[in-house]
Amino acid sequence: MRHAGTMTSAPRTARAIARAELTRAILDAASRQLVEIGPAALSVRAVARELGMASSAVYRYFPSRDALLTALLVEAYDELGTAVEGADAAVTDRGDLAARWRAVCHAIHDWARAQPHRYALLYGSPVPGYAAPDDTVTPATRVTGAILAILHEAQTAGLDPVPPLPLSSAERAGLAPVRGFVDPPFDDDTLARGLLAWSALFGTISLELFGHMHRGVLDYDAHFAQVVDQLTADLGLITDG
Amino acid sequence: MRHAGTMTSAPRTARAIARAELTRAILDAASRQLVEIGPAALSVRAVARELGMASSAVYRYFPSRDALLTALLVEAYDELGTAVEGADAAVTDRGDLAARWRAVCHAIHDWARAQPHRYALLYGSPVPGYAAPDDTVTPATRVTGAILAILHEAQTAGLDPVPPLPLSSAERAGLAPVRGFVDPPFDDDTLARGLLAWSALFGTISLELFGHMHRGVLDYDAHFAQVVDQLTADLGLITDG
DNA sequence: TGTACATCAGTGAACGCGCGTTCACTGATGTAC
DNA sequence: TGTACATCAGTGAACGCGCGTTCACTGATGTAC
């Protein structure tokens, strides 16, 4: 029994081609819906209407509204992951960790700015009544993975972040999972500055996109660049200087 | 023509008392709805149902669903503002800016943890199709106001943050609005470290509450305390030591 | 290459439910004299 | 203190609309021989 729907290899039959195409069209239409009415109000019927098909037909492609939402989440995480990994990989001098870190940060920011509603889907309020299944975990990991890889290389290369406060013992114990994401494990200083940079990075983007800088900051791009540069310095990624 | 609904002074007539009480009950029921179905799906009919009244009766109190949502926003901002200002004011040594900053940060965190859905209403994804009217601006200002006041006192007291990178000219120009929130205006260093702390503060809370630390950090309270301590140090709020 | 059968995509009606908002109306509360 | 009128709260029906999901069905595509 071969299953047809993995989409990893090129489809052969006309049916498979049509299916792949319509699956895409449904996801695109759903994505457009996200912009106007948000994930909570995402509607199978509206998607079908936009595509000019019966609402029941959508159920040939996604078994439920929540499955459609999950597919949107997975796709958004994957797109962002691809953008981030691509930006990282585009830095030819692999040892220039400051450049890689900046590239990753700006890739996230650029993607978020271009797709604010999908950013909100990933990093904004959780959708009430919807629990993301395990399928979303792996794609969600890619962004943090890219960040952690850079921090880990910095540690291995002996780059020291601006010395943070010593970790409390509760904090040290509580960070066991992150510490073990890499081998050899993160030291305290990298961990502390790394987590702070992570918070500041997504905090800046969220505050910007969700409208909280509106009355205080005029030039979002300049501000973001400044934040990233500062984090680069605090993480000690600038060699020599 | 006296208007009855300002709610600033105690109501006199039985009608006014009943009105104030039902207004509260409606807001409370709406607030409870927020937890289960989120702001986008907030429903006048469901609120009325919970209170055992006709849905049309709610319109005697709030002219529309959006007005009800606005009232929830204003109330949430005000509650958070009160909590933050109260925490600040509870620090008896007004010159101990580190203690005041810590108190403010933990007040925000505590409130957000106790009321995650209302935090999400304020700092999560914007509600699609809803534009917050000007009524929400003033209450929204209280939290940032408390933070800015502390930073401003620190600057006046001559406390120096950990030296940030020099601001680019674009960034310097773009920060004109925040700079002028206080008099004398903020200097570059306080501004840079202050905005970074602001981002890290809300970034940490949002990442925690929206589920992104789930796989990496075990002890949220220890982590938040560590972040706040680090920000306190980076802001240079610790005198002597 | 041709036929017979199985699989699949898409339809349209239906079920049972929800929503925001308006409106004419009843009955209670408040106020002016 | 009592009466007459105005104001207001709350009702229930209605308008016009939306939703997710199921189901029996048709017609096209794919496959085994």
Side-chain angles (χ1 to χ4, degrees), chain B residues 173-208:
Chain B
L175 295 186
V178 221
R179 187 182 295 111
F181 280 166
V182 292
D183 181 55
F186 282 118
D187 57 46
D188 281 6
D189 286 9
T190 304
L191 220 43
R193 283 286 172 201
L195 283 168
L196 200 61
W198 181 54
S199 289
L201 174 62
F202 282 95
T204 303
I205 297 176
S206 290
L207 287 171
E208 174 192 330

Side-chain angles (χ1 to χ4, degrees), chain A residues 11-29:
Chain A
R12 317 222 157 248
T13 68
R15 238 185 215 165
I17 292 168
R19 166 164 269 271
E21 213 158 273
L22 239 181
T23 305
R24 263 259 54 78
I26 291 172
L27 284 171
D28 289 345

Side-chain angles (χ1 to χ4, degrees), chain A residues 107-162:
Chain A
I108 300 172
H109 188 235
D110 290 347
W111 187 88
R113 284 280 289 272
Q115 324 249 352
H117 298 88
R118 302 172 81 193
Y119 175 84
L121 179 66
L122 303 185
Y123 294 100
S125 328
V127 181
Y130 168 81
D134 289 344
D135 317 30
T136 59
V137 173
T138 310
T141 305
R142 294 174 63 183
V143 172
T144 34
I147 293 175
L148 291 176
I150 294 172
L151 296 180
H152 194 233
E153 287 194 39
Q155 173 178 304
T156 309
L159 298 181
D160 288 322
V162 173

Side-chain angles (χ1 to χ4, degrees), chain A residues 13-15 42-46 49 55-56 59 64-65:
Chain A
T13 68
R15 238 185 215 165
L42 176 71
S43 146
V44 175
R45 290 186 105 111
R49 215 178 298 126
S55 62
S56 48
Y59 285 81
S64 69
R65 195 204 82 115

Side-chain angles (χ1 to χ4, degrees), chain A residues 31-241:
Chain A
S31 220
R32 257 172 269 132
Q33 284 227 358
L34 229 50
V35 175
E36 280 155 34
I37 54 170
L42 176 71
S43 146
V44 175
R45 290 186 105 111
V47 166
R49 215 178 298 126
E50 186 177 331
L51 297 176
M53 67 199 300
S55 62
S56 48
V58 177
Y59 285 81
R60 299 277 174 215
Y61 296 84
F62 296 93
S64 69
R65 195 204 82 115
D66 278 10
L68 181 54
L69 197 52
T70 300
L72 285 175
L73 263 167
V74 168
E75 196 174 54
Y77 271 126
D78 261 328
E79 260 189 38
L80 176 57
T82 302
V84 164
E85 288 167 7
D88 183 12
V91 177
T92 46
D93 180 359
R94 305 306 293 155
D96 188 348
L97 297 173
R100 289 174 57 191
W101 162 257
R102 283 200 192 92
V104 162
C105 290
H106 284 283
I108 300 172
H109 188 235
D110 290 347
W111 187 88
R113 284 280 289 272
Q115 324 249 352
H117 298 88
R118 302 172 81 193
Y119 175 84
L121 179 66
L122 303 185
Y123 294 100
S125 328
V127 181
Y130 168 81
D134 289 344
D135 317 30
T136 59
V137 173
T138 310
T141 305
R142 294 174 63 183
V143 172
T144 34
I147 293 175
L148 291 176
I150 294 172
L151 296 180
H152 194 233
E153 287 194 39
Q155 173 178 304
T156 309
L159 298 181
D160 288 322
V162 173
L165 297 178
L167 298 187
S168 70
S169 59
E171 170 74 337
R172 198 190 316 269
L175 296 186
V178 221
R179 187 183 295 110
F181 280 166
V182 293
D183 180 55
F186 282 117
D187 58 47
D188 281 7
D189 287 9
T190 304
L191 220 42
R193 284 285 173 202
L195 283 167
L196 200 61
W198 181 53
S199 289
L201 174 62
F202 282 96
T204 303
I205 297 176
S206 290
L207 287 171
E208 174 192 330
L209 288 186
F210 298 163
H212 296 280
M213 289 186 184
H214 199 246
R215 296 184 325 279
V217 179
L218 298 175
D219 189 334
Y220 292 160
D221 283 326
H223 179 59
F224 186 76
Q226 194 85 33
V227 165
V228 170
D229 285 348
Q230 186 63 58
L231 295 176
T232 312
D234 288 356
L235 287 168
L237 297 180
I238 301 174
T239 40
D240 189 17

